[in-house]
Amino acid sequence: MQDGGWRPQIRGEGNWTAKEDEEILLADRRSSDSGSGSRNENGNGRLSERGENEDRDGFEKEGEDEDEDEYRDEGEGEGSRRGLSRSTKGTIWVVLVTMSTLIGRRILRGGFPYPFFLVLLTQLIAWILVASLAFLVQLKRFSTKSAKSQEASEGYSWLATIFIIFRALLASSISGVAALCGALALLHSPNLPVLAMLPIVTYVFDSFLFRLAYVLRLFPRDQSTSARKAYKVIFVLACSIPPILFDYRLNIRSLFVAVAGFALLSLSKVISKTGPKFERKGNGTGRWDTPLHFYLLQGIAPLVISWMAASKYENVIAAHHAFTTWTWGYGLLNLAPGVLLQQLFVASMNSAHPFVSEVHVGGALEEPTEKATDAIASTLQAGFWTVIIGVLGQEKNFIDWIQVIAFTLIYVVCVGPKHIGYYPPRLLNIVSRICRRRQLPLHPEPWQFAFFLVTTTVVFAIVISCNVMFWVDTVAYNRNLKTWLGPKILNLDTMYRPPQLRSFDIIIAHSEGDPVSTISDLISTFTTHHFIRNLNPRVTVYSKDPTINISTPAAASLKGAFEGDLSMQTLRNSGGVPATFLHHILYSWSFMPVQTLFLSTASTNPLTLPLHQNRLSDYFTPMGFPLPDALPKSGFLSLGEQESCWCGQCFDSLGWEDTFHLVPSMWSAARPGSPSCESVLLTYGNNFIASAARIRGTKKDVWQMLYDGLVDTNLENAWAHKKEKMPIVLPGEEGRGRFRPGAVYGVKDSLERPYLGMTIERLWGVLLQCSTPEIAWACPALEVGWRIGGRREDCGCIE
């Protein structure tokens, strides 16, 4: 779908808009001619000496003649060669940016969560390769006999040199920060298809920032300022909202970082064009501003910024250790696309085509030239292929028709029917190339007739939309289903009958140091909930804070308006929150109610409490009467976020890893006789609802074994605290990365906060037989709450 020598057809000389577009196109052609003037003068191309009148006279024939020339076996003509070169560059860019984005996503979310270090590696390798090439070129030049005569060059004035260097360093510094933002968004964005639809927003920032710079007189005044196609800017901005608005996995942080990266990339382009154009004095070859040398100059600032960011915000020691474990082949596969993208286009992962207009003050969306159209098409095509190929990875996200239609409309409107109209003959020529048959010349007739334009555009939009929906929501989903090996029949204790049929327990685990007011907030929030208040709720508070007052007046003050039963107990401060819940499960094994709500003050604050309440309101199904077992009810519902991992080597995005190898063993313990596991679902926060049938479906010995491991005071012999069960700390890694204060392993393993407790926190869904692909794919983020077409079983298991 890249450009195949197509040129916009300008007809109707009396129309002022057509004349305006024609002037921009002619100016763009002159800019291209002047850019290749030195190459033409040296005999590498044919120098055209046509004047403006000749350009205008031959303009209408250009689309026909050059399109035909391009597909001749002996492609004659400068326009044909220029079109083919542009098409090839566009195709290369689409391939490289798609590969680098998908590989970067796989690396960053596959056990190498160091986006800044990855960007640093890519930039450093690219810079070293270019520096080596520049060194070889310099040696060759010095080895010639005429080296001294070639060195004679007056160059720029000292003031111009300082300005050019400062401008290049400033622009490259900002683009370096943009590359870091892009990598960070690629790591944290939960929905890759939505992220791949957004790089086109870069051109929206181009239009605003370039026009602002022009108004501030930072640009030369010899460019077109036409706003006739500014509607595209508004249209792209409007159509970029639905993919974000209907993203049920929306992460505000990653969205902000991604948009900031697009804006910074646009700002760097503005700065690179700011100021006057300087002409070099003399024609010598001993120049510091050759493309190789200028690339090296521009690469210094991004390298420094990436190194500073990686050193300050990432665990460089662990990142370097992981990098050294790569084989040569694996490293080449991972880094080659990004390095080539950096060298050839000075671009990074998940970015827009690096287009900068030389003839129009706006961005690519406003410029009518074929280069601008190619840049837009390349950006959107890279997003399309990222979505299509990305579903073959570990992505578990649905997309909605509204999101896909908005993306397709951007393509149709911004690329244009005239460009899309040439896709059928180009497709035929691709087939001809494969079959080694003579290709057909491209003519405007009949492909540019109104009937064919409408038909081709409509068919193209339908095919693109349906393909995206089919690949993401059907192919990827069905492919991922094969990795979830749960048994067809759940192991539930259907014979158990609670002593009181109409009852509901709320268990609150209060940790040492947590505010007592959190207990009151939890009681008032959930006991008054319309799903729970009619179930005769009973509240039990287990506190591991030795200073808490559990007297009757203190308990009455915590109850507030709650009139039901409230009991408070203190437990020894060991095992963390999971030990509290396991204690209650073992204690109430013979009299637990049909459903129990487990809550933790450690993961509750004024921001998360409303989210937990909304999750319960949206996805909880209370037991029915008079026969609870005969009516659907929630068997398990996590009120926190969830994440999937591979059973054999499980780790999550926070840096936790299953060093105890409990995931496969607990999977088998909760599902006797089931096949080995592959994909499993992790839970976070220790806030969930579980039914007695599921709790008792797992043998009591399993719960007892986990509880004993958490509360065993013999730290030297306890299996939960053995050194080989602890995460490995590399030399110099102390206090960095996942071991820094506040991180997942920021506090050392202890009886009060054992690392085993973090593992059990993530295994509630596995232990209670609610680790399903439906939840992994369909459950929205806590901040979003609900998705279009959602169901109550999207985030939990109904029994």
Side-chain angles (χ1 to χ4, degrees):
M1 291 184 290
Q2 291 294 328
D3 174 78
W6 171 78
R7 301 289 186 272
Q9 305 297 303
I10 305 299
R11 303 189 185 277
E13 293 290 333
N15 190 303
W16 69 273
T17 58
K19 290 182 177 180
E20 191 176 56
D21 285 352
E22 183 178 340
E23 291 175 358
I24 296 175
L25 289 167
L26 292 174
D28 176 68
R29 209 147 111 215
R30 294 192 199 96
S31 176
S32 300
D33 290 342
S34 63
S36 59
S38 60
R39 180 176 69 252
N40 293 334
E41 290 172 1
N42 291 331
N44 295 329
R46 190 167 47 86
L47 184 62
S48 176
E49 297 291 345
R50 295 179 300 177
E52 181 177 346
N53 294 333
E54 184 179 352
D55 283 333
R56 290 182 179 271
D57 294 338
F59 190 82
E60 288 197 20
K61 297 181 181 179
E62 182 183 359
E64 301 173 6
D65 296 338
E66 292 187 357
D67 284 339
E68 182 175 355
D69 288 341
E70 181 181 351
Y71 288 92
R72 289 177 181 168
D73 293 339
E74 299 179 0
E76 298 177 355
E78 180 186 359
S80 173
R81 287 196 304 272
R82 199 166 56 224
L84 183 59
S85 174
R86 188 176 65 253
S87 174
T88 304
K89 287 179 61 178
T91 302
I92 293 174
W93 185 88
V94 170
V95 172
L96 290 179
V97 78
T98 301
M99 291 182 62
S100 62
T101 300
L102 294 176
I103 293 175
R105 175 79 166 186
R106 176 179 55 80
I107 294 174
L108 294 175
R109 295 174 73 91
F112 192 86
Y114 311 107
F116 299 161
F117 191 84
L118 180 62
V119 173
L120 175 63
L121 279 178
T122 303
Q123 294 174 342
L124 182 61
I125 295 175
W127 196 90
I128 291 176
L129 292 177
V130 174
S132 301
L133 179 60
F135 179 73
L136 294 177
V137 171
Q138 196 79 356
L139 286 179
K140 181 179 179 181
R141 186 169 57 82
F142 277 121
S143 64
T144 58
K145 296 181 180 180
S146 57
K148 293 184 178 180
S149 61
Q150 291 177 350
E151 289 291 343
S153 176
E154 298 180 24
Y156 297 105
S157 65
W158 65 270
L159 186 61
T161 301
I162 293 175
F163 180 84
I164 292 173
I165 294 176
F166 174 78
R167 180 174 63 184
L169 292 177
L170 180 59
S172 61
S173 299
I174 296 176
S175 65
V177 178
L180 297 180
C181 290
L184 192 63
L186 197 61
L187 169 64
H188 291 292
S189 179
N191 202 332
L192 179 62
V194 173
L195 182 64
M197 297 178 184
L198 298 182
I200 190 66
V201 178
T202 305
Y203 296 141
V204 176
F205 285 110
D206 282 357
S207 295
F208 286 110
L209 295 180
F210 274 78
R211 286 191 176 276
L212 177 62
Y214 187 84
V215 170
L216 297 177
R217 295 187 174 274
L218 299 178
F219 288 170
R221 318 303 291 178
D222 58 348
Q223 293 181 328
S224 170
T225 59
S226 171
R228 189 173 63 85
K229 294 194 175 184
Y231 71 90
K232 290 185 178 181
V233 179
I234 307 300
F235 185 82
V236 170
L237 186 60
C239 288
S240 298
I241 295 176
I244 299 173
L245 189 62
F246 293 95
D247 181 10
Y248 71 105
R249 294 282 173 82
L250 180 64
N251 184 301
I252 300 299
R253 177 192 175 189
S254 64
L255 174 64
F256 175 79
V257 171
V259 174
F262 302 146
L264 290 173
L265 182 60
S266 179
L267 180 60
S268 69
K269 293 191 287 186
V270 172
I271 293 177
S272 66
K273 285 193 60 180
T274 299
K277 295 182 179 179
F278 298 98
E279 293 186 1
R280 180 181 175 82
K281 301 177 181 179
N283 297 317
T285 59
R287 301 169 53 180
W288 62 268
D289 62 336
T290 60
L292 291 179
H293 292 87
F294 207 73
Y295 178 92
L296 297 176
L297 173 65
Q298 290 178 311
I300 295 175
L303 281 174
V304 174
I305 292 173
S306 298
W307 170 251
M308 293 175 61
S311 302
K312 184 175 182 179
Y313 299 107
E314 292 182 350
N315 190 344
V316 179
I317 296 175
H320 180 265
H321 178 266
F323 171 66
T324 55
T325 61
W326 294 358
T327 63
W328 281 98
Y330 186 74
L332 182 64
L333 175 66
N334 289 339
L335 298 177
V339 170
L340 290 176
L341 184 66
Q342 179 71 25
Q343 288 178 324
L344 300 179
F345 300 96
V346 197
S348 56
M349 300 175 288
N350 196 50
S351 60
H353 192 282
F355 173 82
V356 178
S357 175
E358 299 293 338
V359 296
H360 192 277
V361 74
L365 295 173
E366 298 184 66
E367 184 170 318
T369 63
E370 60 271 18
K371 292 181 181 178
T373 303
D374 290 340
I376 297 171
S378 297
T379 300
L380 295 173
Q381 289 166 18
F384 170 79
W385 289 114
T386 300
V387 172
I388 294 297
I389 303 176
V391 301
L392 301 178
Q394 299 301 318
E395 303 299 323
K396 300 177 182 65
N397 303 287
F398 291 122
I399 56 176
D400 190 77
W401 273 107
I402 298 177
Q403 298 170 306
V404 176
I405 291 174
F407 180 72
T408 305
L409 287 177
I410 291 177
Y411 196 107
V412 171
V413 172
C414 296
V415 175
K418 289 186 176 181
H419 191 94
I420 297 174
Y422 281 108
Y423 286 174
R426 289 175 189 156
L427 182 60
L428 293 176
N429 281 336
I430 291 176
V431 176
S432 299
R433 288 179 183 179
I434 296 175
C435 298
R436 296 185 177 182
R437 294 181 177 272
R438 183 178 179 85
Q439 301 171 44
L440 299 175
L442 287 183
H443 295 287
E445 295 81 8
W447 308 109
Q448 294 298 301
F449 291 164
F451 172 77
F452 283 99
L453 287 179
V454 173
T455 303
T456 304
T457 303
V458 171
V459 171
F460 172 81
I462 294 175
V463 169
I464 289 295
S465 302
C466 293
N467 264 282
V468 171
M469 291 297 297
F470 175 73
W471 276 86
V472 176
D473 289 3
T474 302
V475 174
Y477 180 71
N478 292 335
R479 178 177 177 270
N480 185 253
L481 280 180
K482 300 176 182 178
T483 65
W484 299 82
L485 306 177
K488 295 181 180 179
I489 300 177
L490 297 177
N491 187 31
L492 304 179
D493 187 357
T494 57
M495 302 301 295
Y496 171 76
R497 294 294 179 270
Q500 294 183 358
L501 193 60
R502 195 180 186 88
S503 61
F504 187 92
D505 281 0
I506 299 177
I507 310 303
I508 300 177
H510 178 251
S511 303
E512 183 179 11
D514 291 344
V516 178
S517 60
T518 307
I519 301 176
S520 301
D521 295 337
L522 290 173
I523 293 174
S524 62
T525 298
F526 291 100
T527 57
T528 58
H529 195 279
H530 63 279
F531 281 157
I532 298 177
R533 64 190 176 196
N534 297 325
L535 299 178
N536 247 352
R538 300 174 302 189
V539 178
T540 302
V541 178
Y542 295 100
S543 178
K544 294 188 175 181
D545 191 342
T547 63
I548 192 173
N549 185 0
I550 61 173
S551 62
T552 303
S557 65
L558 292 176
K559 288 179 63 173
F562 175 57
E563 299 178 354
D565 296 337
L566 171 64
S567 64
M568 296 186 65
Q569 303 178 32
T570 56
L571 299 176
R572 187 180 62 185
N573 189 12
S574 61
V577 174
T580 302
F581 292 163
L582 292 172
H583 166 82
H584 176 79
I585 289 173
L586 295 171
Y587 170 74
S588 62
W589 188 263
S590 59
F591 57 86
M592 65 177 59
V594 177
Q595 292 172 310
T596 303
L597 171 61
F598 296 88
L599 299 171
S600 170
T601 59
S603 56
T604 302
N605 56 58
L607 295 178
T608 61
L609 182 57
L611 300 178
H612 297 159
Q613 182 185 14
N614 294 337
R615 177 56 56 88
L616 186 140
S617 300
D618 292 335
Y619 297 99
F620 176 56
T621 301
M623 57 184 173
F625 293 97
L627 299 174
D629 292 340
L631 298 174
K633 62 181 181 297
S634 292
F636 177 82
L637 173 63
S638 174
L639 303 184
E641 295 286 5
Q642 303 177 81
E643 184 177 344
S644 62
C645 75
W646 181 56
C647 181
Q649 191 177 0
C650 191
F651 57 86
D652 66 11
S653 57
L654 300 178
W656 167 87
E657 59 178 318
D658 183 24
T659 56
F660 296 92
H661 303 289
L662 275 181
V663 175
S665 60
M666 291 300 100
W667 173 277
S668 300
R671 303 160 181 80
S674 64
S676 59
C677 61
E678 288 190 24
S679 294
V680 296
L681 198 64
L682 306 178
T683 57
Y684 296 96
N686 285 314
N687 298 285
F688 60 92
I689 296 174
S691 67
R694 286 185 182 258
I695 294 175
R696 293 172 59 91
T698 300
K699 292 182 179 181
K700 189 177 181 180
D701 293 343
V702 176
W703 302 112
Q704 187 71 55
M705 182 268 295
L706 294 175
Y707 178 72
D708 293 342
L710 288 171
V711 299
D712 191 350
T713 57
N714 187 359
L715 298 183
E716 294 182 359
N717 299 319
W719 65 270
H721 302 280
K722 287 186 176 180
K723 185 177 180 180
E724 57 267 23
K725 300 290 185 180
M726 299 294 104
I728 298 175
V729 183
L730 300 173
E733 194 181 6
E734 299 85 355
R736 303 174 64 92
R738 58 179 180 168
F739 298 99
R740 72 180 186 277
V744 61
Y745 293 123
V747 178
K748 290 186 177 181
D749 176 70
S750 63
L751 184 62
E752 294 77 16
R753 297 188 61 181
Y755 287 171
L756 177 62
M758 291 188 294
T759 300
I760 297 176
E761 172 192 346
R762 289 159 170 78
L763 293 183
W764 291 120
V766 173
L767 289 165
L768 296 170
Q769 304 177 66
C770 190
S771 177
T772 66
E774 291 80 11
I775 299 176
W777 278 80
C779 188
L782 273 177
E783 293 81 0
V784 177
W786 191 261
R787 72 179 181 92
I788 297 177
R791 305 175 301 167
R792 281 196 174 274
E793 53 266 35
D794 282 350
C795 291
C797 294
I798 306 294
E799 60 188 40

